[in-house]
Amino acid sequence: MPLTRLRLGYLPLIDAAPLVIAQEMGFAAEEGLQLDLVRLTAWAQSRDMLGAGLIDAAHMLVPMPVGQALGLGPDLPAFDLVMFLSQGGQAIAVNNRIEQQLRAIAHPFDFADALAAGRALRRVVPGRLRVGVPFPFSTQLELVSHWLLASGFGAAELELVTVPPPKMAEVMAAGEVDAFCVGEPWASFAVDSGGAALLLPGAAIWSAAPEKGLVLRRDFADTRPDETGALMRALWRAGRWLDELGHRALASEILSRPAYLDLPPELAERGFAGRLMVASGGELREAPGFIAFHAGAASFPWKSIAAMIADRIARRRGLDVAKAMARAMPHFRTDLYRQHLRPAGAALPGASLRLEGALSQDRIVPAEKGQMILRADRFFDGFTFEPPAAP
């Protein structure tokens, strides 16, 4: 039987691994699919190509469909996020000048205490801070905004600059940003280029920040259920493979090939292993739980995440918060996740909403059948978010 071809857009980051592994390791073929992976250069391109039907699905920043739902993007067909593809995988870097100022006050660059790192940064940067983020609606923007505001920076002192991930090192070298938050391997690439030092992994701020999602047009998800389910199962199985011990070295080699990242495999392997180099001179640091694709229900698209992101975007943009949350939550399709992944044996939470930020450690909780483990999702400052009831 011939395979059904689907075009998937992705940006070159290690969190695109589920798409690449699904195709390269045969999970897509086992579901009857041939994935044509289209390498893109910017998140707006991903959004616009999906909206125009030039790709069937996209590896996309989790907050992007929320922004679309709130009417803050171009007028496109409705987007739905049907599963998370990854949690974590981001790192925050500073330029060489700030690195030396931090070392002068004996900051240890130890990844251990996000609040201490933020206060140290506030001490050496008493005024405005220019921070590169990959898109106005991105987990990176949410991470750095939450962290820096809690660390003593005022909102007016933060200039958030949109930079495509592969360009972060170049923009920092040109002096256009003082710091950035980006997904691997582009933080490590900037370190190896000699222009940056890693200050924190994203997981030090929010231990289970959902980073990328599988996003489809609603008309595709609703009218082509067989292909939607096959794609979700292939990517879910690829994520499970990626989180199994011993597979990430091979994943690094595959992902680093010219067709995908086109970078040395050791750069991807640092992010996969959570062993990051602070500066070009060395200083490896361990970052446990740096990235997850499957473990601890990492792929379940909680509606409470949609509500929390909508709440934050609405407050920044002066929108009605309650209306924003009500608009966003239906676009995180826990119903399709349950429908299409239940047959694959996925562990399914009994609810689609939860108190976000409440788990300081992994916890066993009731599932639809038996029990399951949820990953710790604590924020560094103890922040929690209680969502409204789902509309």
Coordinates of all heavy atoms in Angstrom, one line a residue, residues 5-94:
R5 N 1.7 11.0 1.9 CA 2.7 12.0 2.0 C 2.1 13.2 2.8 O 1.1 13.7 2.4 CB 3.3 12.4 0.7 CG 3.9 11.3 -0.1 CD 4.5 11.8 -1.4 NE 5.8 12.5 -1.2 CZ 7.0 11.8 -1.3 NH1 7.0 10.6 -1.7 NH2 8.1 12.5 -1.1
L6 N 2.9 13.6 3.8 CA 2.5 14.8 4.5 C 3.7 15.8 4.5 O 4.9 15.3 4.8 CB 2.1 14.5 5.9 CG 0.8 13.8 6.1 CD1 0.5 13.5 7.6 CD2 -0.4 14.5 5.5
R7 N 3.5 17.0 4.3 CA 4.6 18.0 4.4 C 4.6 18.7 5.8 O 3.5 19.2 6.2 CB 4.4 19.1 3.3 CG 4.8 18.6 1.9 CD 4.4 19.6 0.9 NE 5.0 21.0 1.1 CZ 6.2 21.4 0.7 NH1 7.0 20.5 0.1 NH2 6.6 22.6 0.9
L8 N 5.7 18.6 6.5 CA 5.8 19.1 7.8 C 6.9 20.2 7.9 O 8.0 20.0 7.4 CB 6.2 18.0 8.8 CG 5.0 17.2 9.5 CD1 4.3 16.5 8.4 CD2 5.6 16.3 10.5
G9 N 6.6 21.4 8.4 CA 7.6 22.4 8.5 C 8.2 22.4 9.8 O 7.6 22.1 10.9
Y10 N 9.5 22.7 9.9 CA 10.3 22.7 11.1 C 11.4 23.7 11.0 O 11.8 24.1 9.9 CB 10.9 21.3 11.4 CG 12.1 21.0 10.6 CD1 13.4 21.1 11.1 CD2 12.0 20.5 9.3 CE1 14.5 20.9 10.3 CE2 13.1 20.2 8.5 CZ 14.3 20.4 9.0 OH 15.5 20.1 8.3
L11 N 11.8 24.2 12.2 CA 13.0 25.0 12.3 C 14.2 24.1 12.8 O 13.9 23.2 13.6 CB 12.8 26.2 13.2 CG 12.6 27.5 12.4 CD1 11.2 27.5 11.6 CD2 12.6 28.8 13.2
P12 N 15.4 24.4 12.4 CA 16.5 23.6 12.8 C 16.9 23.7 14.3 O 17.8 24.5 14.6 CB 17.7 24.0 11.9 CG 17.3 25.4 11.6 CD 15.8 25.5 11.5
L13 N 16.3 22.9 15.1 CA 16.6 22.9 16.6 C 16.5 21.4 17.0 O 15.9 20.6 16.4 CB 15.5 23.7 17.3 CG 15.5 25.2 17.0 CD1 14.1 25.7 16.9 CD2 16.2 25.9 18.2
I14 N 17.1 21.1 18.2 CA 17.1 19.7 18.6 C 15.7 19.3 19.0 O 15.4 18.1 18.9 CB 18.1 19.4 19.7 CG1 17.7 20.2 21.0 CG2 19.5 19.8 19.3 CD1 18.5 19.7 22.2
D15 N 14.8 20.2 19.3 CA 13.5 19.8 19.6 C 12.6 19.5 18.4 O 11.5 19.1 18.5 CB 12.8 20.9 20.5 CG 12.8 22.3 19.9 OD1 12.6 22.4 18.7 OD2 12.9 23.2 20.7
A16 N 13.2 19.6 17.2 CA 12.6 19.1 16.0 C 12.8 17.6 15.8 O 12.3 16.9 14.9 CB 13.1 19.8 14.7
A17 N 13.5 17.0 16.8 CA 13.9 15.6 16.7 C 12.7 14.6 16.5 O 12.9 13.7 15.7 CB 14.7 15.2 17.9
P18 N 11.6 14.8 17.2 CA 10.5 13.9 16.9 C 10.1 13.7 15.5 O 9.8 12.6 15.0 CB 9.4 14.4 17.8 CG 10.0 15.1 18.9 CD 11.2 15.8 18.3
L19 N 10.1 14.9 14.7 CA 9.8 14.8 13.3 C 10.8 14.0 12.5 O 10.5 13.2 11.7 CB 9.6 16.2 12.7 CG 8.4 17.0 13.1 CD1 8.3 17.4 14.5 CD2 8.3 18.3 12.2
V20 N 12.1 14.4 12.8 CA 13.2 13.7 12.1 C 13.2 12.2 12.4 O 13.4 11.4 11.5 CB 14.5 14.4 12.4 CG1 15.7 13.7 11.7 CG2 14.4 15.9 11.9
I21 N 13.1 11.9 13.7 CA 13.2 10.5 14.1 C 12.0 9.7 13.6 O 12.2 8.5 13.2 CB 13.4 10.4 15.6 CG1 14.7 11.0 16.1 CG2 13.3 9.0 16.1 CD1 16.0 10.3 15.4
A22 N 10.9 10.3 13.6 CA 9.7 9.6 13.1 C 9.9 9.2 11.6 O 9.5 8.0 11.2 CB 8.5 10.5 13.2
Q23 N 10.5 10.0 10.8 CA 10.8 9.7 9.4 C 12.0 8.7 9.3 O 11.9 7.7 8.6 CB 11.0 10.9 8.6 CG 11.4 10.7 7.2 CD 10.3 9.9 6.4 OE1 9.1 10.0 6.8 NE2 10.7 9.2 5.4
E24 N 13.1 9.1 10.0 CA 14.3 8.3 9.8 C 14.3 6.9 10.4 O 14.9 6.0 9.9 CB 15.5 9.1 10.3 CG 15.8 10.4 9.6 CD 16.5 10.2 8.3 OE1 16.9 9.0 8.0 OE2 16.7 11.2 7.5
M25 N 13.6 6.8 11.5 CA 13.6 5.5 12.2 C 12.4 4.6 11.9 O 12.2 3.6 12.4 CB 13.7 5.7 13.7 CG 14.9 6.4 14.2 SD 16.4 5.5 13.8 CE 16.3 4.0 14.8
G26 N 11.6 5.1 10.9 CA 10.5 4.3 10.4 C 9.2 4.3 11.1 O 8.2 3.6 10.8
F27 N 9.0 5.2 12.2 CA 7.8 5.3 12.9 C 6.7 5.8 12.0 O 5.5 5.4 12.1 CB 7.9 6.1 14.1 CG 8.9 5.6 15.1 CD1 10.0 6.3 15.6 CD2 8.7 4.3 15.7 CE1 10.9 5.8 16.5 CE2 9.6 3.8 16.6 CZ 10.7 4.6 17.0
A28 N 7.0 6.8 11.1 CA 6.0 7.3 10.2 C 5.6 6.2 9.2 O 4.4 6.1 9.0 CB 6.6 8.5 9.5
A29 N 6.5 5.5 8.6 CA 6.2 4.5 7.7 C 5.3 3.4 8.3 O 4.3 2.9 7.6 CB 7.4 3.9 7.1
E30 N 5.5 3.1 9.5 CA 4.7 2.1 10.2 C 3.3 2.6 10.4 O 2.3 1.8 10.6 CB 5.3 1.7 11.6 CG 6.6 0.9 11.4 CD 7.3 0.7 12.7 OE1 6.7 0.9 13.8 OE2 8.5 0.2 12.7
E31 N 3.1 3.9 10.4 CA 1.7 4.4 10.5 C 1.2 4.8 9.1 O 0.1 5.4 9.0 CB 1.7 5.7 11.3 CG 2.1 5.5 12.8 CD 0.9 4.8 13.5 OE1 -0.2 4.8 13.0 OE2 1.1 4.4 14.7
G32 N 1.9 4.4 8.0 CA 1.4 4.6 6.7 C 1.7 6.0 6.1 O 1.1 6.4 5.2
L33 N 2.7 6.6 6.7 CA 3.0 8.0 6.3 C 4.5 8.1 5.7 O 5.4 7.4 6.2 CB 2.9 9.0 7.5 CG 1.6 9.1 8.1 CD1 1.7 10.0 9.3 CD2 0.5 9.5 7.2
Q34 N 4.6 9.0 4.8 CA 5.9 9.5 4.3 C 6.0 11.0 4.7 O 5.1 11.8 4.2 CB 6.1 9.4 2.8 CG 7.2 10.2 2.2 CD 8.6 9.7 2.5 OE1 8.8 8.5 2.6 NE2 9.5 10.6 2.7
L35 N 6.9 11.4 5.6 CA 7.0 12.8 6.0 C 8.0 13.5 5.1 O 9.2 13.2 5.1 CB 7.4 12.9 7.5 CG 6.5 12.1 8.5 CD1 7.0 12.3 9.9 CD2 5.1 12.5 8.3
D36 N 7.5 14.5 4.4 CA 8.4 15.4 3.7 C 8.7 16.6 4.6 O 7.8 17.5 4.8 CB 7.8 15.9 2.4 CG 7.5 14.7 1.4 OD1 8.2 13.7 1.5 OD2 6.6 14.9 0.6
L37 N 9.9 16.6 5.2 CA 10.3 17.6 6.2 C 10.8 18.9 5.5 O 11.8 18.8 4.7 CB 11.3 17.1 7.1 CG 10.8 15.8 7.9 CD1 11.9 15.3 8.9 CD2 9.5 16.1 8.6
V38 N 10.2 20.0 5.7 CA 10.6 21.3 5.1 C 11.3 22.2 6.1 O 10.7 22.6 7.0 CB 9.3 22.0 4.5 CG1 9.7 23.2 3.8 CG2 8.5 21.0 3.6
R39 N 12.6 22.4 5.8 CA 13.3 23.2 6.8 C 13.0 24.7 6.5 O 13.1 25.2 5.4 CB 14.8 23.0 6.6 CG 15.7 23.9 7.4 CD 17.2 23.5 7.4 NE 18.0 24.5 7.9 CZ 19.3 24.3 8.4 NH1 19.7 23.0 8.4 NH2 20.0 25.2 8.9
L40 N 12.6 25.4 7.6 CA 12.2 26.8 7.5 C 13.2 27.7 8.2 O 14.1 27.2 8.9 CB 10.8 27.0 8.1 CG 9.7 26.1 7.5 CD1 8.4 26.3 8.3 CD2 9.5 26.3 6.0
T41 N 13.1 29.0 8.0 CA 14.1 29.9 8.5 C 13.6 30.8 9.7 O 14.4 31.4 10.4 CB 14.7 30.8 7.4 OG1 13.7 31.5 6.8 CG2 15.4 29.9 6.4
A42 N 12.3 30.9 9.8 CA 11.7 31.8 10.8 C 10.4 31.3 11.2 O 9.7 30.7 10.4 CB 11.7 33.2 10.2
W43 N 10.0 31.7 12.4 CA 8.7 31.2 12.9 C 7.5 31.8 12.2 O 6.5 31.2 12.0 CB 8.6 31.4 14.4 CG 9.5 30.6 15.2 CD1 10.6 31.0 15.9 CD2 9.5 29.2 15.3 NE1 11.3 29.9 16.4 CE2 10.6 28.8 16.1 CE3 8.7 28.2 14.7 CZ2 10.9 27.4 16.3 CZ3 9.0 26.8 15.0 CH2 10.1 26.5 15.8
A44 N 7.6 33.0 11.7 CA 6.5 33.6 11.0 C 6.3 32.9 9.7 O 5.2 32.7 9.2 CB 6.8 35.1 10.7
Q45 N 7.4 32.4 9.1 CA 7.3 31.6 7.9 C 6.5 30.3 8.1 O 5.6 29.9 7.3 CB 8.7 31.2 7.3 CG 8.7 30.5 6.0 CD 10.1 30.0 5.6 OE1 11.0 30.0 6.5 NE2 10.3 29.7 4.4
S46 N 6.8 29.7 9.3 CA 6.0 28.5 9.7 C 4.5 28.8 9.8 O 3.7 28.0 9.2 CB 6.6 28.0 11.0 OG 5.8 26.9 11.5
R47 N 4.2 29.8 10.5 CA 2.8 30.2 10.7 C 2.1 30.5 9.3 O 1.0 30.0 9.0 CB 2.8 31.5 11.5 CG 1.4 32.1 11.7 CD 1.5 33.5 12.2 NE 2.2 34.3 11.2 CZ 2.8 35.5 11.4 NH1 2.8 36.0 12.6 NH2 3.3 36.2 10.4
D48 N 2.8 31.2 8.5 CA 2.2 31.7 7.2 C 2.0 30.5 6.2 O 1.0 30.4 5.5 CB 3.0 32.8 6.6 CG 3.0 34.1 7.5 OD1 2.1 34.1 8.4 OD2 3.8 35.0 7.2
M49 N 3.0 29.6 6.2 CA 2.9 28.5 5.3 C 1.8 27.5 5.7 O 1.1 26.9 4.9 CB 4.3 27.8 5.2 CG 5.3 28.6 4.4 SD 6.9 27.7 4.2 CE 6.4 26.3 3.1
L50 N 1.7 27.3 7.1 CA 0.6 26.5 7.6 C -0.7 27.1 7.2 O -1.6 26.4 6.8 CB 0.8 26.3 9.1 CG -0.3 25.3 9.7 CD1 -0.1 23.9 9.2 CD2 -0.1 25.3 11.2
G51 N -0.9 28.4 7.5 CA -2.1 29.0 7.2 C -2.5 29.0 5.7 O -3.7 28.8 5.4
A52 N -1.5 29.0 4.8 CA -1.8 29.0 3.4 C -1.9 27.6 2.8 O -2.2 27.4 1.7 CB -0.6 29.7 2.6
G53 N -1.7 26.6 3.7 CA -1.8 25.2 3.2 C -0.6 24.7 2.5 O -0.7 23.6 1.8
L54 N 0.5 25.4 2.6 CA 1.7 25.0 1.9 C 2.4 23.8 2.6 O 3.3 23.2 2.1 CB 2.6 26.1 1.7 CG 2.1 27.3 0.8 CD1 3.0 28.5 0.8 CD2 1.7 26.8 -0.6
I55 N 2.1 23.7 3.9 CA 2.5 22.6 4.7 C 1.3 22.0 5.4 O 0.3 22.8 5.6 CB 3.7 22.9 5.7 CG1 3.3 24.1 6.6 CG2 5.0 23.2 5.0 CD1 4.3 24.5 7.7
D56 N 1.3 20.8 5.8 CA 0.2 20.1 6.4 C 0.2 20.3 7.9 O -0.8 20.2 8.6 CB 0.1 18.6 6.1 CG 0.0 18.4 4.6 OD1 -1.0 19.0 4.0 OD2 0.8 17.7 4.0
A57 N 1.4 20.4 8.5 CA 1.5 20.5 9.9 C 2.9 21.2 10.2 O 3.7 21.3 9.4 CB 1.5 19.1 10.6
A58 N 3.0 21.7 11.5 CA 4.2 22.5 11.8 C 4.7 22.2 13.2 O 3.9 22.0 14.1 CB 3.9 24.0 11.7
H59 N 6.0 22.1 13.3 CA 6.7 22.1 14.6 C 6.7 23.6 15.0 O 7.3 24.4 14.2 CB 8.1 21.6 14.3 CG 9.2 22.0 15.2 ND1 10.2 22.9 14.7 CD2 9.6 21.6 16.4 CE1 11.1 23.0 15.7 NE2 10.8 22.2 16.7
M60 N 6.0 24.0 16.0 CA 5.8 25.4 16.3 C 5.9 25.7 17.8 O 5.6 24.9 18.6 CB 4.4 25.7 15.8 CG 4.1 27.2 15.7 SD 2.4 27.5 15.0 CE 2.7 27.3 13.3
L61 N 6.4 26.9 18.1 CA 6.4 27.4 19.4 C 5.0 27.3 20.1 O 4.0 27.7 19.5 CB 6.9 28.9 19.4 CG 8.3 29.1 19.0 CD1 8.5 30.6 18.5 CD2 9.3 28.8 20.2
V62 N 5.0 26.8 21.3 CA 3.7 26.5 21.9 C 2.8 27.8 22.0 O 1.6 27.7 21.8 CB 3.9 25.9 23.3 CG1 2.7 26.0 24.2 CG2 4.4 24.4 23.1
P63 N 3.4 29.0 22.3 CA 2.5 30.2 22.4 C 1.9 30.7 21.1 O 1.0 31.5 21.1 CB 3.4 31.2 23.1 CG 4.4 30.4 23.9 CD 4.7 29.3 22.9
M64 N 2.5 30.2 20.0 CA 2.0 30.8 18.7 C 0.6 30.6 18.4 O -0.1 31.6 18.0 CB 2.9 30.3 17.6 CG 4.3 30.9 17.6 SD 5.4 30.3 16.2 CE 4.6 31.1 14.8
P65 N 0.0 29.4 18.6 CA -1.4 29.3 18.3 C -2.3 30.0 19.3 O -3.4 30.4 19.0 CB -1.7 27.8 18.4 CG -0.5 27.2 19.1 CD 0.6 28.1 18.8
V66 N -1.7 30.3 20.5 CA -2.5 31.2 21.4 C -2.6 32.6 20.9 O -3.6 33.2 20.9 CB -1.8 31.1 22.8 CG1 -2.5 32.1 23.8 CG2 -1.8 29.7 23.4
G67 N -1.4 33.1 20.4 CA -1.4 34.4 19.8 C -2.4 34.5 18.7 O -3.2 35.5 18.5
Q68 N -2.4 33.5 17.8 CA -3.4 33.5 16.7 C -4.8 33.5 17.2 O -5.7 34.2 16.7 CB -3.1 32.3 15.8 CG -2.0 32.4 14.9 CD -2.2 33.5 13.9 OE1 -1.5 34.5 13.8 NE2 -3.2 33.3 13.0
A69 N -5.1 32.7 18.3 CA -6.5 32.6 18.8 C -6.9 33.9 19.4 O -8.1 34.2 19.3 CB -6.5 31.5 19.9
L70 N -6.0 34.8 19.8 CA -6.3 36.1 20.4 C -6.4 37.2 19.3 O -6.6 38.3 19.6 CB -5.3 36.4 21.5 CG -5.2 35.5 22.6 CD1 -4.3 36.1 23.7 CD2 -6.5 35.1 23.2
G71 N -6.2 36.8 18.1 CA -6.3 37.8 17.0 C -5.1 38.6 16.9 O -5.2 39.7 16.3
L72 N -3.9 38.1 17.3 CA -2.7 38.9 17.3 C -1.7 38.5 16.2 O -0.6 38.9 16.2 CB -2.0 38.8 18.7 CG -2.8 39.3 19.9 CD1 -2.1 39.0 21.2 CD2 -3.1 40.8 19.7
G73 N -2.2 37.8 15.2 CA -1.4 37.5 14.0 C -2.3 37.8 12.8 O -3.3 38.4 12.9
P74 N -1.8 37.4 11.6 CA -2.5 37.6 10.4 C -3.8 36.8 10.4 O -4.0 35.8 11.2 CB -1.5 37.1 9.3 CG -0.6 36.2 10.0 CD -0.5 36.7 11.4
D75 N -4.7 37.2 9.5 CA -6.0 36.5 9.4 C -5.8 35.2 8.7 O -5.7 35.2 7.4 CB -7.0 37.5 8.7 CG -8.4 36.9 8.7 OD1 -8.7 35.9 9.4 OD2 -9.2 37.4 7.9
L76 N -5.8 34.1 9.4 CA -5.5 32.8 8.9 C -6.6 31.8 9.4 O -7.2 32.1 10.4 CB -4.1 32.3 9.3 CG -2.9 33.1 8.8 CD1 -1.6 32.6 9.4 CD2 -2.8 33.1 7.2
P77 N -6.7 30.7 8.7 CA -7.6 29.7 9.3 C -7.2 29.3 10.7 O -6.0 29.4 11.1 CB -7.5 28.5 8.3 CG -7.0 29.1 7.0 CD -6.2 30.3 7.4
A78 N -8.1 28.7 11.5 CA -7.9 28.4 12.9 C -6.8 27.3 13.0 O -6.8 26.4 12.3 CB -9.1 27.9 13.6
F79 N -5.9 27.6 14.0 CA -4.8 26.6 14.3 C -5.1 25.9 15.6 O -5.6 26.5 16.5 CB -3.5 27.3 14.5 CG -2.8 27.9 13.3 CD1 -1.6 28.7 13.4 CD2 -3.3 27.8 12.0 CE1 -1.0 29.2 12.3 CE2 -2.7 28.3 10.9 CZ -1.6 29.1 11.1
D80 N -4.8 24.6 15.6 CA -4.9 23.8 16.8 C -3.6 23.1 17.1 O -2.9 22.5 16.3 CB -6.0 22.7 16.7 CG -7.4 23.3 16.8 OD1 -7.6 24.4 17.3 OD2 -8.4 22.7 16.3
L81 N -3.2 23.2 18.4 CA -2.1 22.4 18.9 C -2.6 21.1 19.5 O -3.5 21.1 20.4 CB -1.4 23.2 20.0 CG -0.1 22.6 20.6 CD1 0.8 23.7 21.0 CD2 -0.3 21.6 21.7
V82 N -2.2 20.0 18.9 CA -2.7 18.7 19.2 C -1.9 17.9 20.1 O -2.3 16.9 20.7 CB -3.0 17.9 17.9 CG1 -4.1 18.6 17.1 CG2 -1.8 17.6 17.1
M83 N -0.6 18.2 20.3 CA 0.3 17.6 21.3 C 1.5 18.5 21.4 O 1.9 19.2 20.5 CB 0.7 16.2 20.8 CG 1.5 16.1 19.5 SD 1.7 14.4 18.9 CE 2.8 13.7 20.1
F84 N 2.1 18.4 22.6 CA 3.4 19.0 22.8 C 4.5 18.1 22.2 O 4.4 16.8 22.3 CB 3.8 19.2 24.3 CG 2.9 20.3 24.9 CD1 2.6 20.1 26.3 CD2 2.4 21.3 24.2 CE1 1.8 21.1 26.9 CE2 1.6 22.3 24.9 CZ 1.3 22.1 26.2
L85 N 5.5 18.6 21.6 CA 6.6 17.8 21.0 C 7.8 17.8 21.9 O 8.6 16.9 21.9 CB 7.0 18.4 19.7 CG 6.0 18.3 18.5 CD1 6.5 19.0 17.3 CD2 5.7 16.8 18.2
S86 N 7.9 18.8 22.8 CA 9.1 18.8 23.7 C 8.8 19.7 24.9 O 7.9 20.6 24.8 CB 10.3 19.3 23.0 OG 10.1 20.7 22.5
Q87 N 9.5 19.5 26.0 CA 9.6 20.4 27.1 C 11.0 20.8 27.4 O 11.9 19.9 27.3 CB 9.0 19.8 28.4 CG 7.5 19.5 28.3 CD 7.0 19.0 29.6 OE1 7.7 18.6 30.5 NE2 5.6 18.9 29.7
G88 N 11.3 22.0 27.7 CA 12.6 22.5 28.0 C 13.4 22.6 26.7 O 12.9 22.8 25.6
G89 N 14.8 22.5 26.9 CA 15.7 22.6 25.7 C 16.2 24.0 25.4 O 16.9 24.2 24.5
Q90 N 15.8 25.0 26.3 CA 16.3 26.4 26.1 C 17.5 26.7 27.0 O 17.6 26.1 28.0 CB 15.2 27.4 26.4 CG 13.8 27.0 25.9 CD 13.0 26.2 27.0 OE1 13.6 25.8 28.1 NE2 11.8 26.0 26.8
A91 N 18.2 27.7 26.6 CA 19.3 28.2 27.4 C 19.4 29.7 27.3 O 19.1 30.2 26.2 CB 20.7 27.6 27.1
I92 N 19.8 30.3 28.4 CA 20.0 31.8 28.4 C 21.5 32.1 28.4 O 22.2 31.5 29.2 CB 19.3 32.4 29.6 CG1 17.8 32.2 29.5 CG2 19.6 33.9 29.8 CD1 17.1 32.5 30.8
A93 N 21.8 33.0 27.5 CA 23.3 33.3 27.3 C 23.4 34.9 27.5 O 22.5 35.6 27.2 CB 23.8 32.9 26.0
V94 N 24.6 35.3 27.9 CA 25.0 36.7 28.0 C 26.2 36.9 27.1 O 27.0 36.0 26.9 CB 25.2 37.1 29.4 CG1 23.9 37.0 30.2 CG2 26.3 36.3 30.1

